Amino acid sequence: MGHLIIPRLTSSIQMKTGKAFWILTFLLVSYFTHSQTLVINEVQTDNVNVITDEDGDYSSWIEIYNPTNARVNLQDYGLSNDVNNPFLWTFPQLSIEANQYLLVFASGKDRKQYDELQWETLITQGDLWKYKVGDASIPSQWMTAAYDDASWQEGPSGFGYGDSDDATVLGSRSNPILSVYIRKKFTISNLNNIEELLLHIDYDDGFIAYLNGTEILRVNMGAAGTSVSYLSTSSALHEANMYDGDPPSLFNIEKSYLQEGENILSIQ
């Protein structure tokens, strides 16, 4: 399952914190659950090379998601690392648009100014993808935009079997498959608005990802740039995360692979 997020980020909200981050996480979950509008989409406590703030620093961060169809004003919301003072840090006059994200850095810099901040999810869990179970008929150019996938099947992500979280079930424990090839198109209207490109993906045990026909990421599937047969197995084991309640793996992708207009994300 691939989850592609394009953030348009011109500045960030940064909170001041100095105590154990797990306390902050607990309070966030507690107070946002109570609101029944916002959710904690992801928490990153060991951000060493994923997302930088406007100073180029790597700090822990919290991603807040508004799953509703209406804008939510954060004026009455607070964050805290002190269980006895749940509004130790309060949000500025700020709203999260419907079905959008807000990134809060736990940097200690205590900055509340921001310009325009918008996280745009281009591909998310449950979206329809074109897919084909691996076989010898798949050509080497299958990941390119020019390839005609009209004969491929279509189904929602994720793909697989055995974890009770697969929207498109392929194979079984008694009849396993080794590989599946998936393709998803999305559109970028203005490349100048894109600051960073993130890929969330939940996988077991390895994958190769391509953007517009170019390899952008490979995990447990041999050396970068090498061809991998549909019968190949991974070089290491990796258990999927989401079925156990954990967030998917997150990777920072170079934005230069994007193009204005139609793009295609392909994963083997």
Side-chain angles (χ1 to χ4, degrees):
M1 187 278 293
H3 181 194
L4 189 68
I5 293 182
I6 307 285
R8 296 176 183 156
L9 181 59
T10 54
S11 70
S12 61
I13 301 294
Q14 302 196 31
M15 66 173 295
K16 185 176 182 180
T17 183
K19 296 185 180 179
F21 200 83
W22 69 268
I23 298 177
L24 173 63
T25 304
F26 172 79
L27 289 173
L28 278 167
V29 173
S30 174
Y31 282 93
F32 284 139
T33 300
H34 177 69
S35 71
Q36 297 183 339
T37 54
L38 302 179
V39 297
I40 303 304
N41 190 62
E42 188 165 356
V43 175
Q44 177 67 264
T45 60
D46 55 352
N47 176 33
V48 294
N49 60 5
V50 177
I51 303 175
T52 62
D53 63 16
E54 64 266 32
D55 298 326
D57 296 329
Y58 293 97
S59 302
S60 299
W61 50 262
I62 308 101
E63 184 183 74
I64 304 168
Y65 174 52
N66 175 11
T68 73
N69 294 321
R71 175 188 297 178
V72 174
N73 191 320
L74 292 174
Q75 186 173 8
D76 294 328
Y77 286 79
L79 304 178
S80 180
N81 55 15
D82 185 347
V83 68
N84 296 313
N85 186 6
F87 290 92
L88 181 63
W89 188 89
T90 57
F91 281 90
Q93 181 61 40
L94 172 67
S95 296
I96 305 182
E97 298 297 327
N99 301 300
Q100 294 301 322
Y101 298 79
L102 175 69
L103 195 70
V104 181
F105 283 100
S107 64
K109 299 176 183 179
D110 198 18
R111 297 175 183 170
K112 296 184 180 182
Q113 79 282 2
Y114 83 107
D115 297 319
E116 180 183 353
L117 176 61
Q118 177 183 344
W119 290 78
E120 182 176 340
T121 304
L122 297 179
I123 304 173
T124 193
Q125 184 178 11
D127 282 355
L128 293 177
W129 293 63
K130 300 304 289 284
Y131 74 91
K132 183 176 177 64
V133 173
D135 64 32
S137 70
I138 299 176
S140 60
Q141 74 275 17
W142 72 274
M143 76 291 289
T144 65
Y147 177 70
D148 183 4
D149 60 11
S151 64
W152 288 29
Q153 293 179 278
E154 187 175 64
S157 62
F159 300 83
Y161 67 90
D163 292 333
S164 301
D165 64 345
D166 302 301
T168 299
V169 177
L170 301 173
S172 64
R173 296 194 184 279
S174 61
N175 184 30
I177 61 170
L178 286 178
S179 62
V180 61
Y181 294 67
I182 61 177
R183 293 165 46 96
K184 177 66 178 177
K185 294 179 180 179
F186 62 94
T187 301
I188 297 292
S189 58
N190 189 345
L191 284 175
N192 293 327
N193 289 335
I194 307 303
E195 291 293 333
E196 292 187 69
L197 176 64
L198 305 179
L199 174 66
H200 294 79
I201 184 168
D202 201 31
Y203 65 97
D204 180 3
D205 291 292
F207 68 93
I208 308 172
Y210 305 85
L211 191 52
N212 298 319
T214 300
E215 181 179 326
I216 58 171
L217 185 64
R218 179 186 297 235
V219 177
N220 296 339
M221 295 302 296
T226 60
S227 177
V228 174
S229 164
Y230 73 95
L231 293 175
S232 298
T233 57
S234 65
S235 58
L237 299 179
H238 179 278
E239 185 62 39
N241 297 326
M242 294 179 66
Y243 80 97
D244 203 27
D246 295 321
S249 299
L250 184 150
F251 301 92
N252 200 321
I253 307 300
E254 174 56 52
K255 64 181 181 180
S256 62
Y257 293 112
L258 290 169
Q259 60 190 25
E260 211 151 278
E262 187 175 86
N263 293 259
I264 183 160
L265 176 65
S266 308
I267 300 175
Q268 175 184 353

